[in-house]
Structure formats: structure tokens, C-alpha cells
């Protein structure tokens, strides 16, 4: 018996303590842009959102609306997770001003439940991950509603790239878009912007966001 106990103890010393599968090394160069507790560092209609379990939650009872980072960003890699309820519609503002419609005066990347029947006749540039009015994203890579999705957005000079759950669904050159008519036929003065705020553009659906972190990239030459 003593020999067996000694062997077990030796095995534990060699293997060491169990490590959580979810534990991960810090991502080099990334910093959090949401503290998981309150909206310090954010501006806009913060009353239209709430914090639940360290997540930003668009509050249907308060109307949602737009919230933005206080800080402006030009070139960056943004990583975050989001969860959609059925029929959800929100947006990710990038290089956006604090006033006006971010989809036109800045850029908006759609956050949408592509599977909802009410959205089956949208234009291609209106589905999830698309650059609203300007460039369509690939569909078919969202997880089922109610599950957490992982998304990475890279904005580097004229490059805008979106990776959803490990699959690249959008990669566009803004200069090419500037040199051609917009897909929605509207004016997009935001195409001239090279910096701005990051924000969530809510329409009153309970969309949740967590683990927001960003890495700033050097200015384009």
C-alpha cells in the first residue's frame, strides 16, 4: 500500500497541477478595450446597453443605440466574441465619427442573424460581416443562434479583413471601392476617413459582446 501511495504522489509531482483548457497565454500586443464591469472608456448611448457577466449587452428595454470607444483607432486588429438571439441585428462601427450614421460617415461591419426568415431577401452587402453598402461577406460560417462566435477584424490602411470562427469571410481593398460606384448607390463620405472610433450600432436586439481586445498597428506609409 505504501508503495502504491508513493507511486501516486510521484506521478502527481511529475505531471503537476491540472491546467484549465480555457487558460491561454496573453495575446502579444493586445489590450482590453472593455473592463467587464462598466462603460469606462466608452461614450454614446451607454444607457441603451448594460453589463451582464462581463459582457456588453444591447438592452432591448432601453432601445440599444450606438456606443463608441472614447479613443480613436486608425490601423488595428480587433478580436471579440458575440452571441446572437434569433433575428438579431447590430453593427460594428470602425473608423467612425461620434455623430451621424456610422454606416455612411464611417464604416459599418454588419452583425446579423443571417438565418432569420425576415432577412432572406436582403442585399448581399447587408449580411453578417459585410461592409455595409460597400462589400459583401461570405455566408455560412456563423454558429447557431444562442452560441458564442469568435471574430477578428483587421483594418490596416486600405485593407479590411474579417475572420469569423476561423474562416476569412471578407477581404477588401478600400481604394478599389473608392474608385467604383458603391453597391448601394449611396454616398459614403466615410470612405475618406483613415481613423475614428470603434462602436456597436444596436437596433434593440439583445446581442452580447465579450472579450474585446485590440492591437494597434503602425500607421500606413
Amino acid at each position: 500500500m505504501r508503495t502504491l501511495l508513493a507511486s501516486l504522489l510521484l506521478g502527481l509531482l511529475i505531471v503537476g497541477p491540472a491546467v484549465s483548457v480555457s487558460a491561454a497565454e496573453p495575446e502579444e500586443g493586445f489590450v482590453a478595450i472593455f473592463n467587464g464591469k462598466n462603460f469606462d472608456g466608452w461614450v454614446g448611448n451607454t444607457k441603451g446597453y448594460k453589463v451582464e457577466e462581463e459582457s456588453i449587452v444591447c438592452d432591448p428595454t432601453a432601445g440599444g443605440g450606438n456606443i463608441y470607444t472614447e479613443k480613436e483607432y486608425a490601423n488595428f486588429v480587433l478580436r471579440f466574441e458575440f452571441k446572437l438571439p434569433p433575428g438579431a441585428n447590430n453593427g460594428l462601427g470602425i473608423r467612425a465619427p461620434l455623430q451621424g450614421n456610422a454606416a455612411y460617415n464611417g464604416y459599418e461591419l454588419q452583425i446579423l442573424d443571417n438565418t432569420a426568415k425576415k432577412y432572406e431577401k436582403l442585399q448581399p452587402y447587408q449580411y453578417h460581416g459585410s461592409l455595409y453598402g460597400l462589400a459583401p461577406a461570405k455566408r455560412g460560417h456563423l454558429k447557431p443562434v444562442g452560441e458564442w462566435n469568435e471574430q477578428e477584424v483587421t483594418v490596416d490602411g486600405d485593407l479590411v479583413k474579417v475572420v469569423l470562427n476561423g474562416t476569412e469571410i471578407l477581404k477588401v481593398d478600400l481604394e478599389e471601392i473608392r474608385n467604383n460606384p458603391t453597391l448601394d448607390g449611396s454616398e459614403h463620405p466615410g470612405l475618406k476617413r483613415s481613423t475614428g472610433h470603434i462602436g456597436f450600432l444596436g437596433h434593440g436586439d439583445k446581442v452580447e459582446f465579450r472579450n474585446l481586445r485590440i492591437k494597434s498597428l503602425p500607421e500606413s506609409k
Side-chain angles (χ1 to χ4, degrees):
M1 181 62 72
R2 288 182 179 178
T3 303
L4 177 60
L5 286 172
S7 298
L8 289 172
L9 287 171
L10 180 60
L12 286 173
L13 288 172
I14 293 173
V15 174
V19 178
S20 170
V21 175
S22 63
E25 291 295 321
E27 298 162 297
E28 185 176 356
F30 283 82
V31 296
I33 57 172
F34 171 61
N35 63 20
K37 301 176 182 178
N38 54 47
F39 290 107
D40 287 354
W42 291 76
V43 296
N45 188 31
T46 55
K47 295 185 182 299
Y49 291 73
K50 56 187 176 180
V51 179
E52 290 183 349
E53 299 181 350
E54 300 186 343
S55 299
I56 294 176
V57 181
C58 187
D59 187 357
T61 65
N66 299 349
I67 58 171
Y68 299 97
T69 57
E70 283 184 336
K71 186 177 178 180
E72 292 193 27
Y73 298 90
N75 300 324
F76 57 87
V77 180
L78 173 68
R79 292 175 178 169
F80 65 99
E81 296 173 63
F82 66 93
K83 183 165 64 175
L84 301 172
N89 184 7
N90 203 291
L92 175 69
I94 55 176
R95 291 182 178 171
L98 296 179
Q99 305 297 327
N101 190 326
Y104 300 95
N105 297 324
Y107 302 88
E108 178 181 355
L109 290 166
Q110 280 286 78
I111 297 176
L112 192 84
D113 171 18
N114 286 350
T115 65
K117 186 172 179 58
K118 64 180 179 179
Y119 298 140
E120 64 183 4
K121 294 183 180 180
L122 292 181
Q123 295 297 320
Y125 55 75
Q126 292 178 296
Y127 287 101
H128 181 86
S130 297
L131 200 58
Y132 188 88
L134 301 172
K138 298 175 185 176
R139 284 179 261 171
H141 301 285
L142 281 166
K143 292 185 178 179
V145 292
E147 295 186 16
W148 286 100
N149 295 269
E150 296 182 1
Q151 185 156 303
E152 178 182 276
V153 176
T154 301
V155 180
D156 190 6
D158 284 333
L159 168 71
V160 177
K161 183 173 71 171
V162 177
V163 176
L164 174 64
N165 297 318
T167 298
E168 184 179 284
I169 62 170
L170 179 76
K171 186 176 182 180
V172 295
D173 182 339
L174 295 176
E175 185 61 23
E176 290 184 8
I177 293 175
R178 292 187 196 102
N179 292 330
N180 291 283
T182 59
L183 295 183
D184 64 358
S186 299
E187 293 293 325
H188 284 258
L191 280 167
K192 298 177 182 179
R193 294 183 64 88
S194 59
T195 188
H197 304 270
I198 293 171
F200 294 118
L201 317 174
H203 298 278
D205 301 310
K206 189 182 177 182
V207 182
E208 303 174 53
F209 305 94
R210 70 182 185 187
N211 294 335
L212 281 74
R213 61 266 195 220
I214 196 167
K215 177 169 69 174
S216 294
L217 301 175
E219 292 185 12
S220 303
K221 295 181 180 181

